[in-house]
Amino acid sequence: MLKKNDLVDVEIVDLSHQGEGIAKHDGLVFFVENALPGEKITMRVLKVTKKMGFGKIESYHTYSPHRKKNIQVDYLRTGIADLAHLSYEEQLKFKQKQVADNLYKIAKLPDVPVFETLGMNNPKHYRNKAQIPVRRIAGQIETGFFRKQSHDLVPISDYFIQEPEIDKLINYLRDLFRRFELTPYDETSQTGLIRHILIRRGHYTGEMMLVLVTTRPKIFRIEQVIDAIVSEFPQVKSIIQNINDQKGNAILGKTYKTLYGKDTITDTMLGHEFSISAPAFYQVNTEMAEKLYQIAIDFSDLSAADVVIDAFSGIGTIGLSVANHVKHVYGVEVIKEAVRDAQHNAKQNGITNTTYVCDSAENAMAKWVAEGIKPDVIMVDPPRKGLAESFIEASAKTKARQITYISCNPSTMARDVKRYEELGYRLEKVQPVDLFPQTHHVECVGVLVRE
């Protein structure tokens, strides 16, 4: 029986859904970081349970022809870019397989067409949003990312997948905090001021929003800090303080306070202008989000007489993009600031055939069904946990001709698809889209047609 620190020679036979190498030894499945299929390695055992184990590479004997060389290992250790060591062409194949495997294993649908993953021409420096912890290491304030499954900060200056202007602002803030001797948060003692910095950047406008997440309201010499930031980065149009005084892993608290400039920044998507507030959801890869949403619109085969429900509507990016093609759009979102953004965005784009409400998607759907609203198409873009059973049942009762499912988690989508199939809908096709290059995450659009 293998035990911790044993050394064994193994071959990597596959990748897990999170991009770890899979090896088999002594009837156990081992997960190994920074290992690719076809590679033969000496593995040090880190942990063993009854059915699986975890190992790390002690040495390589052969390398995969698809391995990218000279990749910063911190990207893999922190999960910032956990597929950065795999060629981009193979990343796209991996994601297509991930979607198809989930549909086969969970939904029992082996024959649904899953198209090749739509990728980026330049799969780096694409993220328009960063959430970066601030901590003290060896007596000095640092910014970076936590090592996987830990709260040990790894200092990083070049984040590889974020827009370069965001990286520049992060590094400037780190140095500014050092200069003004602002205290970083310490999880052990529950002391310190600065917990996280959150940055959004409009991909087309270049406008930037900075959110300082602090443990208490007062920030020492904040006026001087703001002056320094906007002098160096005039594209920063909004500086907001978020107060999070709670223990635990939540990045943001409930209280927001605008310290400088506007409450929102603006960006454009599919020809419409959007205002984006600090807590609102906005896709982190604008270039690929436009392609994702256009595919969803094209797949939905909309007409001028259609009524559309846009569930999990966020700031209205999908709903407002389809409004010109249809009779009316009903949108629902649980974050009230995002609902206000959606209502404002409809107004500033001159769109009058939309209704946005603040509620859970399942509650709103049940109310709309009770009110007799009969949607032709329901578009859903749920969080990673997927759809609630009550939402699926209520949406199926509408007898909408189509459910257009935008997913960021193939396993929960497959689970939901299985339920829709039981309620009279058939999954027709799926298009994976790479919104998160260099990572194991994949988005996709699935078309469910009423039988």
Side-chain angles (χ1 to χ4, degrees), residues 251-304:
I251 292 174
L252 295 169
K254 294 180 180 178
T255 304
Y256 291 87
K257 178 184 176 184
T258 301
L259 302 177
Y260 168 84
K262 306 181 294 178
D263 297 336
T264 62
I265 57 169
T266 58
D267 199 20
T268 59
M269 187 176 287
L270 292 177
H272 294 100
E273 186 174 286
F274 292 96
S275 294
I276 310 159
S277 60
F281 173 78
Y282 188 70
Q283 292 281 12
V284 300
N285 184 338
T286 308
E287 177 187 333
M288 296 307 289
E290 288 186 306
K291 294 180 180 179
L292 178 82
Y293 292 157
Q294 191 60 58
I295 288 166
I297 293 167
D298 294 344
F299 278 6
S300 298
D301 195 22
L302 300 166
S303 72

Side-chain angles (χ1 to χ4, degrees), residues 7-12 34-36 38-44 56-64 67:
L7 295 176
V8 290
D9 290 339
V10 294
E11 181 175 355
I12 305 301
N34 197 7
L36 296 175
E39 293 184 332
K40 295 179 180 177
I41 64 168
T42 296
M43 176 186 75
R44 182 177 293 276
K56 72 172 184 177
I57 293 169
E58 198 72 14
S59 61
Y60 292 92
H61 304 301
T62 61
Y63 289 101
S64 165
R67 175 174 285 279

Side-chain angles (χ1 to χ4, degrees), residues 2-6 44-48:
L2 287 174
K3 59 185 185 301
K4 186 176 180 180
N5 286 325
D6 282 352
R44 182 177 293 276
V45 176
L46 297 177
K47 182 180 177 182
V48 180

Side-chain angles (χ1 to χ4, degrees), residues 74-230:
D74 285 342
Y75 300 145
L76 310 183
R77 288 174 181 159
T78 58
I80 285 176
D82 49 14
L83 285 185
H85 57 315
L86 181 63
S87 73
Y88 191 54
E89 183 182 345
E90 292 299 310
Q91 289 183 34
L92 298 179
K93 290 178 183 177
F94 164 76
K95 294 181 183 190
Q96 180 189 22
K97 181 177 182 292
Q98 197 179 343
V99 175
D101 284 353
N102 276 286
L103 288 174
Y104 173 64
K105 293 173 184 175
I106 299 171
K108 311 301 181 194
L109 296 173
D111 300 321
V112 173
V114 177
F115 303 135
E116 291 184 2
T117 308
L118 182 64
M120 294 188 77
N121 292 329
N122 178 21
K124 304 174 188 173
H125 306 300
Y126 60 84
R127 278 189 68 98
N128 60 37
K129 179 184 177 183
Q131 295 182 139
I132 306 298
V134 183
R135 298 292 184 268
R136 191 184 302 279
I137 298 176
Q140 182 162 259
I141 294 174
E142 296 285 2
T143 49
F145 229 71
F146 293 132
R147 194 183 302 273
K148 278 183 186 177
Q149 297 172 337
S150 82
H151 273 209
D152 299 330
L153 188 82
V154 177
I156 294 173
S157 296
D158 175 0
Y159 292 79
F160 185 51
I161 60 173
Q162 290 174 176
E163 293 187 355
E165 284 299 309
I166 291 179
D167 285 3
K168 288 179 189 173
L169 180 53
I170 292 167
N171 296 334
Y172 180 80
L173 290 167
R174 175 201 62 202
D175 296 342
L176 195 66
F177 295 160
R178 290 173 182 172
R179 199 169 92 212
F180 280 88
E181 298 182 342
L182 296 178
T183 55
Y185 181 60
D186 184 297
E187 286 178 289
T188 306
S189 63
Q190 301 287 316
T191 58
L193 176 66
I194 309 288
R195 291 178 74 131
H196 278 78
I197 49 179
L198 186 152
I199 299 170
R200 290 185 185 271
R201 182 176 183 270
H203 178 74
Y204 291 110
T205 64
E207 290 188 4
M208 297 178 80
M209 171 186 285
L210 166 63
V211 181
L212 298 173
V213 184
T214 65
T215 55
R216 56 184 182 272
K218 187 172 177 59
I219 304 176
F220 179 60
R221 293 161 73 185
I222 186 59
E223 295 82 5
Q224 291 170 268
V225 171
I226 290 171
D227 288 346
I229 293 168
V230 297

